Amino acid sequence: MSAQGRPKRESAPSGGSDAAKRRAWERHTSGLLVLVTLLAVASSSLACAASSLDPALQSRIRALDCANVSASDVRDVLAKAPAPRIVLLQGSVPLVTMEPFARFLIAMGYPAERLRNPRDGDFSYSSFADSAALAGALAFDYEQSGMAPMLIGHSQGGMLAIKVLYEFAGAFSDALHVVDPSTGERLARTSIVDPRNGHLRPVVGLHVAYAAALATGWLPRLMLGQWNMLTRLRQIPDTADDFTGFILPHDPIAGNLAGDSPYRAIDRAHVRSVVLPGSYHHLTLPRAAHLAADPAMRAWIDAWRPGKMSPPPDGDTSNLVHATDIWYSVKRHWCLQAQGLLNAPTS
């Protein structure tokens, strides 16, 4: 090929004395190398995750009815498939954590490792965490797993879950940095390679599959100076596919003694409000492990479907309403994402 027709190659700037130009060149080439590596890893990780499942299991996952996932479907099919990250956010009182609720989910069949905080191994996350950092860590996890995360927050934890949705919606910043969840380190990049299609995309605009808020009210937001969430607390952006807000009536801690208002979608998100029994107590809402320990109660929870209520068995039914509702949603989105993993492009 002639010199005229030969494509030009990028070359390092000449002039060894021009250190600034050389450093800029090094940053440019280093950034390109990182991007190429990320593209290669993301495009292959999803294919590897799907291909590691044996064909018979893949067929069983595809055959699942995600609106009617049974206990045997969880035990024999979903438990052998990848699972989305679930972040359990505790309230502002340090002694009341979400660990009992994690124990409930584990007993019902959810993998413990997808509930643990990668940084410290705990099942319960602080609700005083930085919402932008949490959003960045969820973006990191999605880039690695190809599965949109789920957020379940109690009291102030519900506020933080909603705030993360607004972070993804770009309400507070035009860009969000990716965060390594195992170290908490903020990475230089504000984009990820979407493992579902191999395309580079910003962290802003990502979504979670499911989010839930338990007894989250306005009064603590006022007392703690969380002003930017006061007008947003019942308005859910489209960065959640599915959201359920659980309202505890006449709750002095949430500050709704004079009544409460339902959660609403800003646009297209599927949003529900569920009013809990007045006998429930704000501080004990995460305590649900006892429900899974009772075989009859556990079977009732597994068989529950929206709109198909039957009386629960005799026993301790405290916190049954939200525990059952959340487990149904978790199973459904676990199923949907496992199927989506198999249907994603492999190259």
Side-chain angles (χ1 to χ4, degrees), residues 310-346:
S310 61
D314 294 336
D316 183 357
T317 60
S318 56
N319 299 326
L320 179 64
V321 172
H322 57 276
T324 301
D325 197 295
I326 290 173
W327 176 237
Y328 173 83
S329 294
V330 165
K331 287 190 298 180
R332 177 173 173 270
H333 286 285
W334 185 7
C335 173
L336 289 170
Q337 293 207 67
Q339 291 178 343
L341 200 66
L342 297 180
N343 296 330
T346 57

Short mmCIF file of all heavy atoms in Angstrom, two decimals, residues 310-346:
data_model
loop_
_atom_site.label_atom_id
_atom_site.label_comp_id
_atom_site.label_asym_id
_atom_site.label_seq_id
_atom_site.Cartn_x
_atom_site.Cartn_y
_atom_site.Cartn_z
N SER A 310 -55.88 -16.28 51.55
CA SER A 310 -56.53 -17.29 52.37
C SER A 310 -56.03 -17.08 53.79
O SER A 310 -54.94 -16.55 53.99
CB SER A 310 -56.17 -18.70 51.88
OG SER A 310 -54.78 -18.92 51.96
N PRO A 311 -56.81 -17.47 54.78
CA PRO A 311 -56.38 -17.23 56.16
C PRO A 311 -55.06 -17.92 56.45
O PRO A 311 -54.86 -19.08 56.06
CB PRO A 311 -57.52 -17.83 57.00
CG PRO A 311 -58.69 -17.87 56.08
CD PRO A 311 -58.15 -18.10 54.71
N PRO A 312 -54.13 -17.24 57.10
CA PRO A 312 -52.86 -17.89 57.45
C PRO A 312 -53.07 -18.95 58.53
O PRO A 312 -54.09 -18.92 59.24
CB PRO A 312 -52.01 -16.73 57.96
CG PRO A 312 -52.99 -15.74 58.47
CD PRO A 312 -54.20 -15.85 57.58
N PRO A 313 -52.14 -19.86 58.68
CA PRO A 313 -52.27 -20.87 59.74
C PRO A 313 -52.13 -20.26 61.12
O PRO A 313 -51.67 -19.12 61.27
CB PRO A 313 -51.12 -21.84 59.43
CG PRO A 313 -50.12 -21.01 58.68
CD PRO A 313 -50.92 -20.02 57.89
N ASP A 314 -52.51 -20.99 62.12
CA ASP A 314 -52.35 -20.53 63.50
C ASP A 314 -50.86 -20.39 63.83
O ASP A 314 -50.02 -21.16 63.34
CB ASP A 314 -52.99 -21.52 64.47
CG ASP A 314 -54.51 -21.58 64.33
OD1 ASP A 314 -55.08 -20.58 63.85
OD2 ASP A 314 -55.10 -22.62 64.65
N GLY A 315 -50.56 -19.43 64.63
CA GLY A 315 -49.17 -19.20 65.02
C GLY A 315 -48.87 -17.72 65.11
O GLY A 315 -49.77 -16.88 65.05
N ASP A 316 -47.60 -17.40 65.26
CA ASP A 316 -47.16 -16.01 65.37
C ASP A 316 -47.15 -15.40 63.97
O ASP A 316 -46.31 -15.71 63.15
CB ASP A 316 -45.77 -15.98 65.98
CG ASP A 316 -45.25 -14.55 66.21
OD1 ASP A 316 -45.96 -13.59 65.83
OD2 ASP A 316 -44.13 -14.40 66.74
N THR A 317 -48.10 -14.51 63.71
CA THR A 317 -48.22 -13.89 62.39
C THR A 317 -47.68 -12.46 62.36
O THR A 317 -47.94 -11.72 61.41
CB THR A 317 -49.69 -13.87 61.93
OG1 THR A 317 -50.47 -13.12 62.88
CG2 THR A 317 -50.23 -15.28 61.80
N SER A 318 -46.92 -12.06 63.38
CA SER A 318 -46.38 -10.71 63.38
C SER A 318 -45.45 -10.51 62.18
O SER A 318 -44.64 -11.37 61.85
CB SER A 318 -45.61 -10.44 64.68
OG SER A 318 -44.59 -11.39 64.88
N ASN A 319 -45.65 -9.40 61.49
CA ASN A 319 -44.87 -9.01 60.31
C ASN A 319 -45.10 -9.91 59.09
O ASN A 319 -44.31 -9.88 58.12
CB ASN A 319 -43.37 -8.96 60.64
CG ASN A 319 -43.07 -7.94 61.72
OD1 ASN A 319 -43.72 -6.91 61.80
ND2 ASN A 319 -42.10 -8.24 62.57
N LEU A 320 -46.18 -10.66 59.12
CA LEU A 320 -46.46 -11.58 58.01
C LEU A 320 -46.80 -10.83 56.72
O LEU A 320 -46.41 -11.27 55.63
CB LEU A 320 -47.62 -12.51 58.40
CG LEU A 320 -48.07 -13.53 57.36
CD1 LEU A 320 -46.96 -14.52 57.06
CD2 LEU A 320 -49.34 -14.26 57.84
N VAL A 321 -47.51 -9.71 56.83
CA VAL A 321 -48.01 -9.04 55.62
C VAL A 321 -46.86 -8.57 54.73
O VAL A 321 -46.79 -8.90 53.54
CB VAL A 321 -48.92 -7.84 56.01
CG1 VAL A 321 -49.26 -7.02 54.76
CG2 VAL A 321 -50.20 -8.36 56.67
N HIS A 322 -45.94 -7.79 55.28
CA HIS A 322 -44.86 -7.27 54.42
C HIS A 322 -43.83 -8.34 54.08
O HIS A 322 -43.28 -8.34 52.97
CB HIS A 322 -44.18 -6.04 55.05
CG HIS A 322 -43.60 -6.25 56.40
ND1 HIS A 322 -44.34 -6.16 57.56
CD2 HIS A 322 -42.33 -6.54 56.80
CE1 HIS A 322 -43.57 -6.36 58.60
NE2 HIS A 322 -42.34 -6.62 58.17
N ALA A 323 -43.58 -9.28 55.00
CA ALA A 323 -42.62 -10.34 54.70
C ALA A 323 -43.10 -11.18 53.51
O ALA A 323 -42.33 -11.50 52.60
CB ALA A 323 -42.40 -11.23 55.92
N THR A 324 -44.38 -11.52 53.50
CA THR A 324 -44.95 -12.31 52.42
C THR A 324 -44.93 -11.55 51.10
O THR A 324 -44.54 -12.09 50.05
CB THR A 324 -46.40 -12.71 52.76
OG1 THR A 324 -46.40 -13.45 53.98
CG2 THR A 324 -47.02 -13.55 51.66
N ASP A 325 -45.32 -10.30 51.15
CA ASP A 325 -45.37 -9.47 49.95
C ASP A 325 -43.98 -9.29 49.34
O ASP A 325 -43.78 -9.42 48.12
CB ASP A 325 -45.99 -8.11 50.30
CG ASP A 325 -46.46 -7.33 49.08
OD1 ASP A 325 -45.60 -6.95 48.27
OD2 ASP A 325 -47.67 -7.11 48.94
N ILE A 326 -43.01 -9.01 50.20
CA ILE A 326 -41.64 -8.81 49.71
C ILE A 326 -41.07 -10.10 49.14
O ILE A 326 -40.43 -10.09 48.07
CB ILE A 326 -40.74 -8.27 50.84
CG1 ILE A 326 -41.14 -6.82 51.18
CG2 ILE A 326 -39.26 -8.35 50.47
CD1 ILE A 326 -40.44 -6.25 52.39
N TRP A 327 -41.30 -11.23 49.80
CA TRP A 327 -40.77 -12.50 49.29
C TRP A 327 -41.37 -12.83 47.92
O TRP A 327 -40.66 -13.30 47.03
CB TRP A 327 -41.01 -13.63 50.27
CG TRP A 327 -40.57 -14.98 49.77
CD1 TRP A 327 -41.33 -16.11 49.64
CD2 TRP A 327 -39.26 -15.36 49.31
NE1 TRP A 327 -40.60 -17.15 49.14
CE2 TRP A 327 -39.31 -16.72 48.93
CE3 TRP A 327 -38.05 -14.66 49.19
CZ2 TRP A 327 -38.20 -17.40 48.43
CZ3 TRP A 327 -36.94 -15.35 48.70
CH2 TRP A 327 -37.01 -16.69 48.32
N TYR A 328 -42.64 -12.54 47.74
CA TYR A 328 -43.24 -12.77 46.42
C TYR A 328 -42.54 -11.94 45.36
O TYR A 328 -42.20 -12.44 44.27
CB TYR A 328 -44.74 -12.43 46.46
CG TYR A 328 -45.37 -12.50 45.08
CD1 TYR A 328 -45.81 -13.72 44.57
CD2 TYR A 328 -45.50 -11.36 44.30
CE1 TYR A 328 -46.36 -13.80 43.30
CE2 TYR A 328 -46.05 -11.43 43.03
CZ TYR A 328 -46.48 -12.65 42.53
OH TYR A 328 -47.02 -12.72 41.27
N SER A 329 -42.30 -10.65 45.64
CA SER A 329 -41.64 -9.78 44.67
C SER A 329 -40.20 -10.20 44.41
O SER A 329 -39.72 -10.15 43.27
CB SER A 329 -41.69 -8.32 45.15
OG SER A 329 -43.01 -7.84 45.18
N VAL A 330 -39.50 -10.59 45.46
CA VAL A 330 -38.11 -11.05 45.30
C VAL A 330 -38.06 -12.28 44.41
O VAL A 330 -37.23 -12.36 43.48
CB VAL A 330 -37.48 -11.34 46.68
CG1 VAL A 330 -36.19 -12.15 46.53
CG2 VAL A 330 -37.19 -10.04 47.42
N LYS A 331 -38.93 -13.26 44.66
CA LYS A 331 -38.96 -14.46 43.81
C LYS A 331 -39.24 -14.11 42.36
O LYS A 331 -38.61 -14.64 41.44
CB LYS A 331 -40.05 -15.42 44.30
CG LYS A 331 -39.77 -16.16 45.57
CD LYS A 331 -40.82 -17.25 45.81
CE LYS A 331 -42.21 -16.71 45.97
NZ LYS A 331 -43.21 -17.78 46.22
N ARG A 332 -40.21 -13.24 42.15
CA ARG A 332 -40.62 -12.87 40.79
C ARG A 332 -39.46 -12.23 40.02
O ARG A 332 -39.17 -12.60 38.87
CB ARG A 332 -41.82 -11.93 40.84
CG ARG A 332 -42.28 -11.43 39.50
CD ARG A 332 -43.58 -10.64 39.61
NE ARG A 332 -43.92 -10.02 38.34
CZ ARG A 332 -43.53 -8.80 37.97
NH1 ARG A 332 -42.81 -8.05 38.80
NH2 ARG A 332 -43.86 -8.32 36.79
N HIS A 333 -38.79 -11.27 40.66
CA HIS A 333 -37.71 -10.58 39.96
C HIS A 333 -36.46 -11.44 39.83
O HIS A 333 -35.70 -11.30 38.86
CB HIS A 333 -37.42 -9.24 40.63
CG HIS A 333 -38.46 -8.21 40.36
ND1 HIS A 333 -38.56 -7.56 39.16
CD2 HIS A 333 -39.50 -7.76 41.12
CE1 HIS A 333 -39.58 -6.73 39.18
NE2 HIS A 333 -40.18 -6.83 40.36
N TRP A 334 -36.22 -12.32 40.77
CA TRP A 334 -35.14 -13.29 40.64
C TRP A 334 -35.38 -14.16 39.40
O TRP A 334 -34.48 -14.35 38.58
CB TRP A 334 -35.09 -14.13 41.90
CG TRP A 334 -33.97 -15.11 42.03
CD1 TRP A 334 -32.90 -15.27 41.20
CD2 TRP A 334 -33.82 -16.06 43.09
NE1 TRP A 334 -32.08 -16.27 41.67
CE2 TRP A 334 -32.61 -16.76 42.82
CE3 TRP A 334 -34.57 -16.38 44.22
CZ2 TRP A 334 -32.16 -17.78 43.68
CZ3 TRP A 334 -34.12 -17.39 45.07
CH2 TRP A 334 -32.93 -18.08 44.80
N CYS A 335 -36.60 -14.63 39.26
CA CYS A 335 -36.98 -15.45 38.11
C CYS A 335 -36.84 -14.68 36.80
O CYS A 335 -36.24 -15.17 35.83
CB CYS A 335 -38.42 -15.94 38.31
SG CYS A 335 -39.13 -16.81 36.88
N LEU A 336 -37.38 -13.47 36.76
CA LEU A 336 -37.33 -12.67 35.53
C LEU A 336 -35.90 -12.39 35.10
O LEU A 336 -35.56 -12.44 33.91
CB LEU A 336 -38.08 -11.35 35.73
CG LEU A 336 -39.61 -11.44 35.83
CD1 LEU A 336 -40.19 -10.10 36.27
CD2 LEU A 336 -40.21 -11.86 34.49
N GLN A 337 -35.04 -12.11 36.06
CA GLN A 337 -33.66 -11.78 35.70
C GLN A 337 -32.86 -13.02 35.32
O GLN A 337 -31.95 -12.95 34.49
CB GLN A 337 -33.01 -11.01 36.83
CG GLN A 337 -33.64 -9.64 37.01
CD GLN A 337 -32.68 -8.67 37.60
OE1 GLN A 337 -31.69 -8.28 36.99
NE2 GLN A 337 -32.96 -8.26 38.83
N ALA A 338 -33.17 -14.15 35.94
CA ALA A 338 -32.50 -15.39 35.53
C ALA A 338 -32.87 -15.72 34.08
O ALA A 338 -32.01 -16.12 33.28
CB ALA A 338 -32.90 -16.54 36.45
N GLN A 339 -34.13 -15.52 33.73
CA GLN A 339 -34.54 -15.74 32.34
C GLN A 339 -33.89 -14.72 31.41
O GLN A 339 -33.45 -15.06 30.30
CB GLN A 339 -36.06 -15.66 32.24
CG GLN A 339 -36.77 -16.82 32.90
CD GLN A 339 -38.29 -16.70 32.83
OE1 GLN A 339 -38.84 -15.63 32.56
NE2 GLN A 339 -38.97 -17.80 33.07
N GLY A 340 -33.79 -13.46 31.86
CA GLY A 340 -33.15 -12.44 31.06
C GLY A 340 -31.68 -12.72 30.83
O GLY A 340 -31.13 -12.40 29.75
N LEU A 341 -31.02 -13.32 31.81
CA LEU A 341 -29.62 -13.68 31.67
C LEU A 341 -29.43 -14.68 30.53
O LEU A 341 -28.49 -14.59 29.74
CB LEU A 341 -29.13 -14.28 32.98
CG LEU A 341 -27.63 -14.32 33.24
CD1 LEU A 341 -27.07 -12.92 33.38
CD2 LEU A 341 -27.34 -15.13 34.49
N LEU A 342 -30.36 -15.63 30.41
CA LEU A 342 -30.27 -16.64 29.35
C LEU A 342 -30.60 -16.06 27.99
O LEU A 342 -30.09 -16.53 26.97
CB LEU A 342 -31.21 -17.80 29.66
CG LEU A 342 -30.93 -18.58 30.93
CD1 LEU A 342 -31.96 -19.70 31.11
CD2 LEU A 342 -29.53 -19.17 30.92
N ASN A 343 -31.43 -15.04 27.97
CA ASN A 343 -31.87 -14.47 26.70
C ASN A 343 -30.99 -13.34 26.19
O ASN A 343 -31.18 -12.82 25.10
CB ASN A 343 -33.31 -13.95 26.82
CG ASN A 343 -34.30 -15.07 27.10
OD1 ASN A 343 -34.10 -16.21 26.69
ND2 ASN A 343 -35.38 -14.76 27.80
N ALA A 344 -30.00 -12.92 27.02
CA ALA A 344 -29.14 -11.82 26.62
C ALA A 344 -28.21 -12.25 25.48
O ALA A 344 -27.83 -13.42 25.40
CB ALA A 344 -28.29 -11.36 27.82
N PRO A 345 -27.83 -11.32 24.60
CA PRO A 345 -26.88 -11.65 23.52
C PRO A 345 -25.57 -12.16 24.11
O PRO A 345 -25.12 -11.70 25.16
CB PRO A 345 -26.68 -10.32 22.79
CG PRO A 345 -27.87 -9.50 23.15
CD PRO A 345 -28.27 -9.92 24.53
N THR A 346 -24.95 -13.11 23.45
CA THR A 346 -23.72 -13.71 23.95
C THR A 346 -22.48 -13.09 23.32
O THR A 346 -21.37 -13.46 23.61
CB THR A 346 -23.70 -15.22 23.67
OG1 THR A 346 -23.87 -15.43 22.25
CG2 THR A 346 -24.81 -15.90 24.43
#
